[in-house]
Amino acid sequence: MADVHPEHAQLQADRIYLGWQYILLHPDPGPPPKRPSPVEEQPPADEDDPARLEILRRERLQEDMLNRPVRLFRTFMLVVTALILAAAVAGYLAWSFALLGVVAAGGVAGICTFALLQGDRAVKYRVLEQQAKDERQRRERDRELYRAQEEHAQRYREWQESKDRHDKQLTWYAVAVPDELDRIDVAGGTLPGWSALITLLGATRLYSGGHLTVLDLSEGAIAKDLIELARKGGDDPLVWVLPVDLPKLDLGATLRPEAFADVLAHVVSVSEEHRSTRDLSFDNAILERVLEVLGENATISQVTAALRALAQVGDPRDDLRFGLITATQLERIGTLFGRGVSDRVVIERAWALESQLRKLESLGTEAVRLPPARLRVVSMDRQAGVFGNRVLGTYVATALTHILRQSPASDRPWYHTIIVAGADKLRGDVLDRLMDACETSRTGLVLTYRSLTPTVRERLGRGHAAVAFMRLGNAEDARVASEHVGTEHRLELAQLTETISDSLPGLDGGYISTVAQVEDARDDRDESHDLAGDITESTEWGRTADKISEKERVLQRSREFLVEPHQLQQLPTTSVIVTDATAQGRRVRLADANPAILAFPKTTLGELEHVRDAVLALDPRAQEGDEEPPPNLGPPPPRLDWRKGRQ
């Protein structure tokens, strides 16, 4: 069997890798065929052979029992003959009559003797015939044994070929989706599972020459291994930990006033889920008017000072003294919406806006010039309040949306990829705007949802998107996921995946901010990097690669399961069910997102369909045994050597 591994050991820039699929194209042939055991050969017969003598004795005993009446009759005839002769000699019988009696009795005795001699010859003949039969049987057994040994040798050669194909075959095939998709929705999962998936997806994007932005709303530091891997690969990632790094975050500083007002209006809407588009427009109008008064490059602290003046909260002289607003601006703000009872609504909304935006007052107050980075991570500190983190997350997502809307479309899809972990914490309209902006700018978008809320269900897989399902703890979420995938699908789960899932390392610690430690000068780094080697050395997943590889040689078994709710609730941590639409219909594949699998010797970056076509083309016998040949998907997409992609 030809080794197809080298041809598929390159990252493909037009593929988004989500894990590996465990498939055995060549099943285990089992134990070798049993060698035929020869029957114990009988030694050649001779005159003193005990077996021959025993056969002869039995035949003679049988013949004696059959000839006993003949012998007795012959003896009687001999006695009669003797008596006749005695009577003739004694003169009691005439010799003429005696001679006739002797001839008659002696003839009968002779006939009996001849019969006995014939019986002896028959016994010897049967013994010789039995010996000849035994000899023929022995020669036949020898011929059958020779034929059996020849057949065994042929079967053993075939078994050895099957065993070699089984032992040398690839076992883990890449599960990837084309970059023609606009988005990947990941439903369910645990924090370690998300960490594995994001590490794998982000690493393959970076090592194929792309850029990556991670907005971590999970508060679980799921991109920690990805950061270490990027450093190992020669990059200097930028990490903001909010709200501590909020003063150094300059995201949105270059937005126009109308876009900045829209961002702030959506930030305020976080705490008011019931607010409609009309309410958002009203808030947006207030903020736009305030920003017109403040002028270009207004800060959040200036906006909150203006809102306080508009809502008549506090003493405006304090804000004048700190230089947040000027006397002219204060006067203009007082006349923005007129006087009288009708401005009560404006005052209440200004007060609500100010109370929410105060959490962002330090935004960009200590912004520094940062060097470019291909990996940027913005995370929420788990020690901060839940509501405050939602405000910060909404601000970052909305600001990214406006930046994407102002950016030209990329020449290469997914060249820039955005990952939002815990996207179910964002409002539906915020998600919609981010999806539209990414689609327009050809920016790759990955959204992970911890639970399938009604907002998430409405958007799951909408548009040209792939959907991936991980472990779903909630029974209702599992039911919805099984209906989405289809309960008729049978998926193969590797025992290795289940075993490693039970001993996965936990996510310890959190992010370490880098924006306060960035230096413009960089050390010289080695430009040659290996993705598998870097994963092994720099990630928690890869540090156990040797142990996992050892288990892989033992744990070769797998099991099938149907996509049912209770099975989705028991999925291993790193298992991902990937569904995407192709020209042949919707594909459903089960993958393992553990990035350490890349270091296994029997792992390929080629997809199952293309590798299987190559294997069947090289092995006609395997093609004959394939009852259902795979669909013709055309030639594989062009490959990109990641080493060249990074230069």
Side-chain angles (χ1 to χ4, degrees):
M1 172 183 165
D3 185 9
V4 299
H5 190 279
E7 300 180 4
H8 294 268
Q10 296 176 342
L11 286 176
Q12 299 176 12
D14 57 352
R15 286 293 183 270
I16 314 301
Y17 296 92
L18 300 175
W20 281 272
Q21 185 178 8
Y22 180 82
I23 292 292
L24 294 179
L25 294 179
H26 302 283
D28 189 353
K34 186 177 180 181
R35 183 180 179 85
S37 58
V39 180
E40 185 177 353
E41 297 184 0
Q42 299 292 339
D46 54 18
E47 295 295 334
D48 298 330
D49 183 21
R52 180 176 180 275
L53 294 177
E54 177 63 21
I55 295 175
L56 182 60
R57 187 187 67 80
R58 289 198 304 268
E59 292 290 338
R60 288 191 179 280
L61 179 61
Q62 183 179 8
E63 187 67 20
D64 288 343
M65 293 179 64
L66 294 174
N67 292 336
R68 181 174 298 175
V70 178
R71 282 192 175 88
L72 292 176
F73 187 71
R74 185 188 66 173
T75 302
F76 175 75
M77 288 289 99
L78 291 175
V79 171
V80 170
T81 301
L83 290 176
I84 292 174
L85 289 175
V89 172
Y92 295 105
L93 186 65
W95 282 102
S96 58
F97 290 102
L99 183 60
L100 291 174
V102 169
V103 171
V108 172
I111 293 173
C112 290
T113 301
F114 179 77
L116 292 175
L117 292 176
Q118 286 292 101
D120 290 341
R121 285 196 295 271
V123 170
K124 293 180 180 179
Y125 177 78
R126 286 196 297 270
V127 170
L128 293 176
E129 185 180 17
Q130 182 64 37
Q131 291 177 346
K133 181 180 179 181
D134 292 343
E135 182 65 20
R136 289 194 301 271
Q137 291 178 348
R138 185 183 65 80
R139 289 196 297 269
E140 183 64 25
R141 286 195 300 269
D142 290 343
R143 286 193 295 270
E144 291 179 356
L145 178 61
Y146 178 77
R147 287 195 299 269
Q149 290 176 342
E150 287 292 324
E151 293 176 357
H152 171 266
Q154 179 63 26
R155 290 197 307 269
Y156 188 84
R157 286 192 293 269
E158 294 175 354
W159 175 87
Q160 188 64 49
E161 293 177 0
S162 300
K163 185 67 174 176
D164 292 341
R165 285 196 300 268
H166 173 268
D167 293 341
K168 295 178 181 179
Q169 71 178 325
L170 302 170
T171 56
W172 294 96
Y173 300 85
V175 173
V177 294
D179 62 1
E180 300 171 357
L181 298 175
D182 300 323
R183 190 178 74 257
I184 297 175
D185 293 334
V186 182
T190 60
L191 293 181
W194 282 2
S195 175
L197 180 62
I198 289 177
T199 300
L200 172 63
L201 193 151
T204 52
R205 287 287 86 204
L206 291 175
Y207 277 70
S208 60
H211 291 249
L212 189 68
T213 299
V214 178
L215 174 56
D216 186 3
L217 305 179
S218 67
E219 305 178 9
I222 59 175
K224 189 175 180 180
D225 280 343
L226 178 59
I227 294 171
E228 294 299 325
L229 185 59
R231 290 197 181 104
K232 185 67 177 180
D235 292 323
D236 286 325
L238 294 177
V239 181
W240 289 268
V241 180
L242 304 182
V244 177
D245 290 331
L246 196 59
K248 301 180 179 63
L249 181 66
D250 58 353
L251 185 65
T254 59
L255 293 177
R256 294 189 298 271
E258 58 272 15
F260 195 39
D262 182 74
V263 171
L264 298 181
H266 277 83
V267 169
V268 174
S269 68
V270 172
S271 61
E272 301 172 343
E273 297 287 346
H274 63 280
R275 290 186 65 80
S276 63
T277 305
R278 180 179 178 182
D279 297 327
L280 287 175
S281 300
F282 185 66
D283 291 345
N284 188 55
I286 295 177
L287 291 170
E288 282 186 354
R289 290 175 180 270
V290 170
L291 289 172
E292 287 178 2
V293 173
L294 297 177
E296 296 287 341
N297 301 324
T299 63
I300 299 291
S301 57
Q302 290 176 315
V303 173
T304 55
L307 291 173
R308 283 193 295 271
L310 183 61
Q312 302 177 10
V313 177
D315 190 352
R317 290 175 296 182
D318 295 336
D319 295 329
L320 290 173
R321 185 169 59 256
F322 290 117
L324 297 178
I325 56 176
T326 64
T328 304
Q329 292 172 343
L330 180 60
E331 183 179 357
R332 290 184 59 189
I333 290 173
T335 60
L336 277 178
F337 297 94
R339 300 291 183 181
V341 181
S342 61
D343 64 352
R344 178 55 58 185
V345 177
V346 176
I347 293 175
E348 292 178 356
R349 287 312 305 160
W351 195 354
L353 292 172
E354 190 273 341
S355 63
Q356 301 300 329
L357 296 180
R358 290 180 63 184
K359 299 177 177 62
L360 300 175
E361 281 187 337
S362 60
L363 176 68
T365 56
E366 300 177 11
V368 295
R369 182 179 179 81
L370 299 174
R374 296 196 307 121
L375 173 61
R376 295 170 292 275
V377 179
V378 181
S379 71
M380 307 299 127
D381 190 348
R382 67 179 64 179
Q383 297 179 356
V386 175
F387 177 72
N389 283 346
R390 292 191 64 186
V391 170
L392 296 174
T394 302
Y395 173 81
V396 175
T398 311
L400 280 175
T401 300
H402 279 280
I403 292 175
L404 292 174
R405 290 169 64 90
Q406 297 175 8
S407 303
S410 174
D411 296 333
R412 173 179 156 190
W414 290 79
Y415 177 75
H416 180 210
T417 302
I418 296 177
I419 299 177
V420 181
D424 47 334
K425 296 181 179 180
L426 300 176
R427 280 174 56 106
D429 53 345
V430 175
L431 289 175
D432 291 338
R433 289 155 59 93
L434 180 60
M435 294 176 189
D436 294 341
C438 289
E439 181 179 357
T440 303
S441 62
R442 306 185 75 187
T443 299
L445 179 61
V446 180
L447 302 175
T448 67
Y449 305 103
R450 195 66 178 270
S451 60
L452 299 181
T453 63
T455 300
V456 174
R457 295 179 191 176
E458 294 175 2
R459 293 160 178 81
L460 193 65
R462 189 174 66 186
H464 195 193
V467 181
F469 293 98
M470 303 185 76
R471 178 188 294 179
L472 293 156
N474 183 273
E476 180 62 20
D477 291 349
R479 183 190 63 80
V480 173
S482 65
E483 293 177 354
H484 183 98
V485 177
T487 57
E488 73 278 5
H489 294 285
R490 286 186 174 272
L491 302 177
E492 187 172 359
L493 179 63
Q495 182 184 3
L496 177 69
T497 299
E498 294 184 290
T499 302
I500 301 304
S501 177
D502 295 335
S503 57
L504 283 176
L507 298 178
D508 298 329
Y511 294 108
I512 298 177
S513 173
T514 62
V515 295
Q517 307 168 2
V518 172
E519 298 179 0
D520 293 335
R522 300 191 179 188
D523 298 332
D524 294 335
R525 299 175 184 266
D526 185 8
E527 292 298 331
S528 61
H529 303 287
D530 176 69
L531 178 56
D534 290 349
I535 288 177
T536 301
E537 295 178 9
S538 61
T539 66
E540 189 65 31
W541 308 93
R543 294 186 185 101
T544 57
D546 294 337
K547 180 174 65 175
I548 296 176
S549 299
E550 182 65 27
K551 290 184 178 181
E552 186 203 22
R553 289 191 286 269
V554 179
L555 303 175
Q556 292 286 345
R557 291 178 291 178
S558 61
R559 66 176 178 89
E560 287 188 346
F561 69 92
L562 290 172
V563 182
E564 297 177 345
H566 71 279
Q567 293 287 355
L568 296 181
Q569 292 179 273
Q570 299 173 2
L571 279 178
T573 302
T574 56
S575 292
V576 186
I577 300 177
V578 181
T579 65
D580 64 307
T582 64
Q584 290 76 25
R586 178 163 289 275
R587 291 187 301 179
V588 178
R589 295 169 291 173
L590 178 65
D592 189 340
N594 188 343
I597 294 179
L598 182 60
F600 290 175
K602 295 183 179 181
T603 299
T604 175
L605 285 169
E607 296 183 68
L608 174 63
E609 292 85 356
H610 304 303
V611 177
R612 179 166 53 187
D613 290 344
V615 171
L616 296 181
L618 294 173
D619 191 356
R621 288 173 299 177
Q623 190 171 10
E624 293 176 359
D626 193 1
E627 298 180 358
E628 296 183 0
N632 183 13
L633 300 180
R639 304 183 185 92
L640 172 68
D641 191 339
W642 61 266
R643 296 179 179 86
K644 297 179 181 179
R646 290 176 56 82
Q647 294 178 354

